[in-house]
Amino acid sequence: MTENLIDKVWEDRPPRPLAVVFTHPLEYSGKKWTDKVQEVRVAMEKAEAIAVVVTALDEVAWLLNLRGSDIAYNPVFFAYVIVSSHDVRLFIDQSKLDQSCRDHLMVGKAGGVKLYGYDEVVASVTDLANQNKPNKIWISNKSSQRFSQAVSKDQCITKLTPIALMKAIKNDTEVSGMRSAHIRDAVAVCEYFAWLEREVPKGHVTEVSGAHQLELYRKEQDNFVSLSFATISSTGPNGAVIHYRPTVETDRALCAEELYLCDSGGQYRDGTTDITRVLHFGTPSAYQRECLTRVLKGHIALCTAVFPDKTAGNRLDSFARSSLWEGGLDYLHGTGHGVGSFLNVHEGPQGVGIRSSPEPLQAGMFISDGILYL
């Protein structure tokens, strides 16, 4: 099948966003895009591939040190990249690139990026494969079927691109930025919780109004760009709904008799955050205390675990769950996921959980520790 059936029935499909892309400078990225490309080419040579087709939006953004706003909460933009041994091709609506981005990409200069239309990518991949048989083309196993169809199976390397792991292992500049972003983000969250302690007893704070207030505190912090996902502001039974998002229809008032769960995060120019806390504004029950204590023990066990380098995240999951298991409890949710550097708040390939990828954990990776039992 060569046509997308969804395209045939999606009659009111909105146009792609046309917001201008912006550069992610060296003070935040820690490495020039040209150096990243050279590292990709080294990986290509080892894999005996003549080109890598980059389809994941966060990989495109990370590789070229660019950011955008095409998808809510994620500073990415619609584009593809092909890295070969002799050039770098960017497939994008070129109206999204202002002169500063073109200068950054060295467009029109030796070693610079070559620009193509967004919809030209599949034809370019097909031509590249046909003109270089039997040489291999590297296409991620996370790419769409359309790309896998563009290259014959015997000519295709189908696995995660080298960029996925390069992006996951943060350099010193990115590590420093992530720490700074988390400190500023913590200030906003602490201000919010102090505000809740004052305002919840008055009886007028709801899930929706609380989420709005937290966003206002984040906006006061330096380098704030946006939230990293819609705030999960949930009280009482809503707190047990995974990835709950309060609406006017479900909005519930915070009170002193129920647990309040707040799972939120921010996008800052120097890092991305994801923080979850559970609070009680009155006197929690004995069972609630037991559950939260077992969760705390799980956090401590995972954070203090000593393990060999390159241990897979799914082998560490039992550290987080053991205290809950002792009490006959468990949670039907992953324990931790990778976090990007001013990129997607959910980043692979690393993670901690029963169903997580067996990707070995390495120094420089950032992983959330989200043990919950509600």
Side-chain angles (χ1 to χ4, degrees), residues 216-239:
L216 293 179
Y217 282 126
R218 279 198 165 99
K219 287 181 176 179
E220 294 176 356
Q221 301 303 313
D222 291 341
N223 290 331
F224 176 80
V225 177
S226 72
L227 300 182
S228 57
F229 57 97
T231 298
I232 302 171
S233 174
S234 53
T235 188
N238 291 342

Side-chain angles (χ1 to χ4, degrees), residues 103-228:
D103 293 342
H104 166 77
L105 297 173
M106 298 160 44
V107 175
K109 297 180 180 179
V113 171
K114 297 179 180 179
L115 301 180
Y116 295 82
Y118 180 80
D119 294 320
E120 295 182 75
V121 62
V122 174
S124 188
V125 172
T126 301
D127 290 344
L128 189 64
N130 290 337
Q131 295 168 10
N132 291 276
K133 290 182 177 180
N135 294 307
K136 302 282 188 178
I137 309 292
W138 193 336
I139 301 177
S140 173
N141 54 2
K142 303 294 185 181
S143 297
S144 69
Q145 184 181 3
R146 188 67 186 90
F147 285 98
S148 62
Q149 289 178 333
V151 181
S152 62
K153 290 184 179 180
D154 60 352
Q155 200 182 353
C156 189
I157 297 174
T158 309
K159 61 180 181 180
L160 288 177
T161 74
I163 300 170
L165 191 57
M166 294 175 184
K167 174 171 56 64
I169 300 174
K170 311 297 187 284
N171 60 45
D172 290 345
T173 300
E174 291 173 319
V175 169
S176 177
M178 289 286 279
R179 287 174 173 162
S180 296
H182 276 78
I183 290 171
R184 295 194 307 276
D185 195 66
V187 170
V189 173
C190 288
E191 288 180 326
Y192 173 55
F193 289 163
W195 179 83
L196 287 177
E197 288 186 341
R198 296 191 303 270
E199 299 301 323
V200 167
K202 299 177 183 178
H204 60 76
V205 179
T206 70
E207 295 169 333
V208 171
S209 67
H212 176 68
Q213 183 63 43
L214 176 54
E215 183 173 0
L216 293 179
Y217 282 126
R218 279 198 165 99
K219 287 181 176 179
E220 294 176 356
Q221 301 303 313
D222 291 341
N223 290 331
F224 176 80
V225 177
S226 72
L227 300 182
S228 57

Side-chain angles (χ1 to χ4, degrees), residues 228-229 243 263 272-276 333-340 344-353 356 361 365-370:
S228 57
F229 57 97
H243 297 157
D263 183 357
T272 302
T273 70
D274 181 355
I275 178 172
T276 304
H333 195 284
T335 296
H337 56 80
V339 181
N344 298 353
V345 73
H346 280 226
E347 177 180 84
Q350 77 278 18
V352 176
S356 292
L361 302 183
M365 289 180 170
F366 277 75
I367 303 174
S368 67
D369 181 2

